[in-house]
Amino acid sequence: MEGVLNQLPIGLSIGAVLLLIALGLTFTFGQMGVINMAHGEFIMAGAYTAYLLQGVGFLIALPAAFVVAGVMGLILERTLIRRFYGRPLDTLLLTWGVSLMLQQLARDLFGAPNVQVASPAWLRGGIGILPYNRLFIMALAAASVLAIWAYMNRTGQGRRMRAVMQNRRLAATSGIDTGRVDQRTFFIGSGLAGVAGVALTLIGPVGPTLGTYYIVDAFLVVVAGGLGQLRGAVLAAAGLGLLNSYAEFWSDASLAKVVVFVAIIGFLQIRPQGLFFVRSRALT
Amino acid sequence: MTAPVEGADTRAPIESADAAVPDKGAGATAPGRPVRRWQGAAAFTAVAVLALVVAPLLLEPFRLGLLAKYLCYAIVALGIGLAWGQGGMLTLGQGVFFGLGGYAMGMYLKLNDAGGDLPDFMVWSGVEELPALWKPFGNPVFALTMVVVLPVAVALLLGTLVFRQRVRGAYFAILTQALAAALVILLVGQQGLTGGTNGLTNFFDFFGRDVAADETQRGLYLLVAVVLGVLYLGARQLVRSRFGRLLLAVRDGEDRVRFLGYNPATVKTLTFAVSAGMAGIAGALFVPVVGIISPALLGVVPSLELVVAVAVGGRFALAGAVLGAVVMGYARTYFSEELPDAWLYLQGALFVLVMTLAPKGIAGLAAGLVRRREARA
């Protein structure tokens, strides 16, 4: 019984990390139709930012990682992705090429072996079965979701973002500068991946291929949650995180991913568009 | 479902603009005037002579083995060209089918080598009795059947479940990628059953011949080349058939096809299954040629690399897919020998350049040249 309970914070904190990663993906995918495989490398960039800022203070690493990853995302959007709007499958291959280069860059800068980031002292220990570091990750994700929600629903920029996401052409004819909205969305989404990277340093080592372990699962969150849906992403991330950790616990670590995959396919039989979606009369 | 996403600004909606729009009748889909047809047959014959006669005479065994390996990849690429270029289904999990075919062949070879005992890696992992899963693979006929049946069955199942629900485009790509990731973890985890990270290797006997001997390897090379040629002709025939027309129509306007009374899900599922079967055959040929099948050869990265090879060669032409696989195979071997550190940069930069400047790949560039020359003439 205790083992079962122990899995709960593990599953939820993995879900929280997946959520931070998937938020960026679901908005760039939902709004711009861009499948950004290099998103995983923004996680890695965030994690290495935390590595470089060890000693300066963990709480400084969070905003720093947000900015570093965000700026990387912005550069990618401005230089390459902008040319590919409307060709999602091509962006997938394009950004995979970028991700290969970024991984090699990390290998050249920081070396191929994994590095360990020392957790700050105040995150060691825990209450009962709840380790502080996992609690912190959950709180971080909750705070991020709240901030995103407020941004989307309480600010003018967020309103424009929702408008572009729902109907790009109508938004553009209403005078919204869709290019600027795209840039902002990309910056915020990539920044959140950087924050996720910092969170990951609390539960494991950092390496050049860190992002590749999470990107596939994060995309599954997007598929299950529905495109551009905040609620959907939260629920799907929590569900996927828990399913992952319990599948590992009850069956076998190697079977867990297969279980998750089968579950997703099964889920799509009931809700092919994910948990939530915008109803529209458009075909496909 | 890409429902809420409208194409950017003035551009066409996502589905139709999914890829760079192919030329009318690009590459293999060309109905072709009689002259073109004749040229196509001549080119195919020339390549066949080059591959079957010239290459075995000129290349030393090591290089011939490499070429055989690339041709195995080319078979997978042919399937990707069919599913993605002609059918619009970006499959990022062909490694799964390659692996199923490869492991089916590897299991037979292992059992054959063991001659009634346990395969060596099982002894090392402390397995005492042959697992039930392995038993039927001792029979060569069964194993060879499974090389095709397993991948096709998995693709039919996945395709039915996914396409029936009208899940498509990027969602399909993500799902196939997740499947590849899951399979790798499964194979690595089940050490005693699959050989874990090392996979299946150390083969000696291939249907009564020493698998490592130059003679056998030369024969295998010829076998791979012939299989590739036959599958290419088959795929080309498929593309030119009524079914192929339907497939193109599904790629370019799935809903319209549905309104005309066809079921796009069936067309896509069948095509996906054909491409999976090709990957399975390629995997089975790969095992004796290279002497190993392991999770590292069939995960997310190798699957994506093949898709990129197809993009480099030209996704809308079946010949482009084959060419891309061979070219990228050579590039990989050359650069990872000469400049191992720079290879990933080069590879990444190449994708970026191809996707940005030449989304139709080498075949698209060549077709452009031919058109320009004809326009001048």
Side-chain angles (χ1 to χ4, degrees):
Chain A
M1 191 59 211
E2 195 171 320
V4 174
L5 279 179
N6 275 335
Q7 289 304 113
L8 200 64
I10 297 177
L12 284 177
S13 58
I14 294 294
V17 172
L18 285 181
L19 175 59
L20 285 171
I21 302 167
L23 280 178
L25 291 176
T26 193
F27 289 125
T28 47
F29 191 11
Q31 179 181 325
M32 297 169 240
V34 167
I35 304 186
N36 185 10
M37 294 295 284
H39 201 70
E41 277 52 55
F42 299 155
I43 308 172
M44 180 259 291
Y48 275 114
T49 309
Y51 170 69
L52 290 177
L53 289 178
Q54 281 182 102
V56 181
F58 185 71
L59 290 180
I60 298 175
L62 285 172
F66 183 86
V67 173
V68 167
V71 168
M72 284 171 68
L74 204 55
I75 295 174
L76 179 67
E77 200 272 346
R78 282 290 88 187
T79 51
L80 289 173
I81 287 179
R82 199 162 53 101
R83 302 164 202 271
F84 282 79
Y85 286 149
R87 290 159 59 188
L89 300 184
D90 285 7
T91 59
L92 193 159
L93 297 179
L94 170 86
T95 51
W96 191 60
V98 174
S99 111
L100 278 185
M101 290 193 277
L102 289 175
Q103 281 173 28
Q104 184 60 31
L105 187 68
R107 234 171 256 134
D108 289 346
L109 288 176
F110 303 102
N114 285 349
V115 294
Q116 191 77 43
V117 179
S119 299
W122 50 274
L123 281 178
R124 293 185 198 136
I127 340 168
I129 58 157
L130 292 170
Y132 285 135
N133 58 359
R134 304 231 174 229
L135 273 179
F136 179 80
I137 293 174
M138 288 179 234
L140 189 64
S144 307
V145 168
L146 213 61
I148 293 288
W149 182 85
Y151 176 78
M152 286 180 71
N153 294 289
R154 291 285 179 271
T155 68
Q157 290 186 4
R159 192 169 58 240
R160 289 192 282 279
M161 179 181 156
R162 280 182 294 140
V164 173
M165 210 179 318
Q166 281 176 19
N167 193 327
R168 173 174 293 271
R169 273 183 256 186
L170 194 55
T173 42
S174 312
I176 293 176
D177 183 346
T178 54
R180 281 192 76 88
V181 174
D182 288 345
Q183 286 170 42
R184 278 200 207 101
T185 307
F186 224 92
F187 177 76
I188 295 173
S190 310
L192 284 175
V195 172
V198 180
L200 280 175
T201 62
L202 293 174
I203 50 179
V206 177
T209 54
L210 178 72
T212 54
Y213 296 109
Y214 292 91
I215 190 86
V216 175
D217 281 354
F219 270 120
L220 288 182
V221 169
V222 176
V223 170
L227 271 187
Q229 296 291 321
L230 197 57
R231 295 178 292 176
V234 173
L235 286 177
L240 223 67
L242 287 174
L243 186 62
N244 244 317
S245 70
Y246 278 102
E248 275 186 26
F249 180 68
W250 274 312
S251 57
D252 177 333
S254 66
L255 274 173
K257 293 282 177 215
V258 179
V259 172
V260 170
F261 181 77
V262 171
I264 296 268
I265 295 286
F267 176 76
L268 288 178
Q269 300 307 303
I270 312 165
R271 302 204 73 129
Q273 292 187 301
L275 273 173
F276 300 102
F277 51 91
V278 180
R279 286 185 194 282
S280 92
R281 291 173 181 230
L283 270 171
T284 70
Chain B
M1 303 271 122
T2 44
V5 195
E6 283 286 320
D9 297 17
T10 55
R11 276 163 226 181
I14 272 177
E15 196 191 13
S16 56
D18 215 299
V21 180
D23 298 325
K24 273 192 190 136
T29 69
R33 287 161 297 161
V35 181
R36 278 271 179 87
R37 270 220 173 146
W38 175 82
Q39 283 175 340
F44 182 83
T45 316
V47 173
V49 169
L50 209 62
L52 293 177
V53 182
V54 180
L57 283 177
L58 289 184
L59 293 175
E60 50 188 298
F62 172 70
R63 295 283 154 195
L64 198 65
L66 279 183
L67 186 56
K69 180 168 120 178
Y70 306 149
L71 293 185
C72 289
Y73 285 135
I75 296 176
V76 188
L78 186 64
I80 296 176
L82 199 61
W84 180 36
Q86 310 297 320
M89 295 169 274
L90 179 55
T91 155
L92 300 180
Q94 290 306 94
V96 170
F97 308 121
F98 183 80
L100 287 173
Y103 272 90
M105 174 63 99
M107 282 158 86
Y108 163 69
L109 292 180
K110 267 326 239 193
L111 288 174
N112 184 38
D113 279 343
D117 293 333
L118 276 180
D120 47 9
F121 74 90
M122 286 193 188
V123 179
W124 304 332
S125 354
V127 176
E128 295 187 344
E129 200 189 338
L130 192 67
L133 178 67
W134 274 68
K135 280 185 183 137
F137 283 91
N139 179 339
V141 178
F142 178 83
L144 289 181
T145 316
M146 283 302 122
V147 160
V148 181
V149 169
L150 273 181
V152 168
V154 171
L156 282 178
L157 183 67
L158 183 67
T160 308
L161 289 175
V162 170
F163 295 133
R164 195 185 54 149
Q165 291 296 333
R166 304 188 191 175
V167 172
R168 59 185 119 172
Y171 277 24
F172 174 71
I174 292 167
L175 288 174
T176 50
Q177 184 166 53
L179 180 63
L183 180 71
V184 166
I185 294 174
L186 183 67
L187 288 172
V188 170
Q190 305 292 327
Q191 176 88 27
L193 204 57
T194 63
T197 320
N198 298 330
L200 303 178
T201 183
N202 289 330
F203 305 112
F204 300 102
D205 179 83
F206 183 76
F207 294 98
R209 292 178 182 81
D210 174 11
V211 76
D214 286 352
E215 250 342 274
T216 320
Q217 283 297 325
R218 182 181 313 240
L220 277 168
Y221 164 79
L222 291 174
L223 177 65
V224 175
V226 168
V227 169
L228 173 63
V230 169
L231 288 177
Y232 172 78
L233 289 178
R236 209 178 63 136
Q237 219 43 51
L238 185 74
V239 167
R240 290 184 172 183
S241 67
R242 266 178 66 85
F243 183 85
R245 303 264 148 213
L246 202 53
L247 183 64
L248 279 190
V250 168
R251 177 189 76 186
D252 294 337
E254 188 169 333
D255 290 304
R256 295 185 188 191
V257 173
R258 184 176 293 116
F259 298 155
L260 287 171
Y262 295 99
N263 186 356
T266 314
V267 178
K268 289 166 88 171
T269 305
L270 287 178
T271 311
F272 185 45
V274 169
S275 86
M278 287 185 180
I281 294 172
L285 291 169
F286 183 89
V287 171
V289 166
V290 182
I292 185 171
I293 184 78
S294 74
L297 293 166
L298 48 93
V300 170
V301 174
S303 304
L304 252 168
E305 274 177 349
L306 276 169
V307 171
V308 170
V310 172
V312 169
R315 73 186 87 155
F316 298 118
L318 292 176
V322 172
L323 179 71
V326 176
V327 167
M328 287 301 282
Y330 267 113
R332 182 189 184 79
T333 308
Y334 176 77
F335 285 111
S336 48
E337 274 170 13
E338 303 289 319
L339 311 155
D341 293 331
W343 167 237
L344 279 175
Y345 285 123
L346 274 173
Q347 200 185 12
L350 184 67
F351 302 165
V352 172
L353 283 177
V354 168
M355 297 316 290
T356 325
L357 301 176
K360 286 179 220 153
I362 301 173
L365 292 177
L369 279 180
V370 171
R371 249 198 321 278
R372 229 168 295 156
R373 213 181 47 199
E374 278 176 2
R376 245 181 291 143

